[in-house]
């Protein structure tokens, strides 16, 4: 009984910026990590960025230096600031929240996806 609501997607020109947000609500006990994945048509879903509850981050090589992931643990919200957008960033972006269901057990919840389209 956990819901993730994404927002912030849209159409932007190359070099532009967008900020994605994802808010989790429901029966949340503890969030171990939050992140963003993306998937383009005909391609596999790939990790874009992730952040742990303690603040450690992990980025795909293709977005390092351009994207910044952040979170507000109190609000159970994760953000993805996307700068210097490129055509290859075009994809559906999915929010991921990894919840601790019990000690040493985790479960992933996914947002509905938000379209990011970068044009020249």
């Amino acid at each position: 009984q956990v819901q993730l609501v994404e927002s912030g997607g849209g159409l932007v020109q190359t070099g532009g910026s967008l900020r994605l947000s994802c808010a989790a609500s429901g029966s949340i006990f503890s969030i171990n990590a939050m992140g963003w994945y993306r998937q383009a048509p005909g391609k596999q879903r790939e990790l874009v960025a992730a952040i742990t509850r303690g603040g450690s981050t992990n980025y795909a090589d293709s977005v390092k230096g351009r994207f910044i992931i952040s979170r507000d643990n109190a609000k159970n919200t994760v953000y993805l600031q996307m700068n210097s957008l490129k055509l290859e960033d075009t994809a559906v972006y999915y929010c991921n929240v990894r919840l601790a269901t019990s000690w040493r057990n985790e479960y992933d919840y996914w947002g509905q996806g938000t379209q990011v389209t970068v044009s020249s």
Side-chain angles (χ1 to χ4, degrees):
Q1 207 70 63
V2 175
Q3 299 83 39
L4 306 182
V5 179
E6 301 180 30
S7 62
L11 176 64
V12 66
Q13 292 184 332
T14 56
S17 298
L18 285 174
R19 192 188 195 198
L20 306 183
S21 299
C22 175
S25 63
S27 301
I28 300 173
F29 176 72
S30 180
I31 297 176
N32 288 342
M34 295 171 283
W36 293 92
Y37 289 71
R38 67 186 181 187
Q39 186 170 24
K43 297 184 178 180
Q44 294 193 64
R45 187 174 298 186
E46 64 174 348
L47 174 69
V48 178
I51 186 168
T52 68
R53 184 174 183 84
S56 298
T57 58
N58 185 34
Y59 295 93
D61 289 341
S62 60
V63 307
K64 287 181 179 177
R66 299 189 298 119
F67 291 9
I68 301 172
I69 189 169
S70 61
R71 83 282 186 268
D72 186 331
N73 288 334
K75 295 181 178 179
N76 294 326
T77 300
V78 62
Y79 308 93
L80 184 67
Q81 179 66 47
M82 304 185 292
N83 301 314
S84 302
L85 284 162
K86 303 176 180 180
L87 293 176
E88 51 264 42
D89 294 320
T90 296
V92 177
Y93 284 70
Y94 295 91
C95 173
N96 169 261
V97 175
R98 178 163 290 179
L99 268 60
T101 57
S102 65
W103 180 245
R104 295 169 57 182
N105 289 103
E106 298 176 324
Y107 189 84
D108 285 348
Y109 289 86
W110 296 90
Q112 79 280 4
T114 184
Q115 177 71 48
V116 172
T117 302
V118 184
S119 66
S120 60

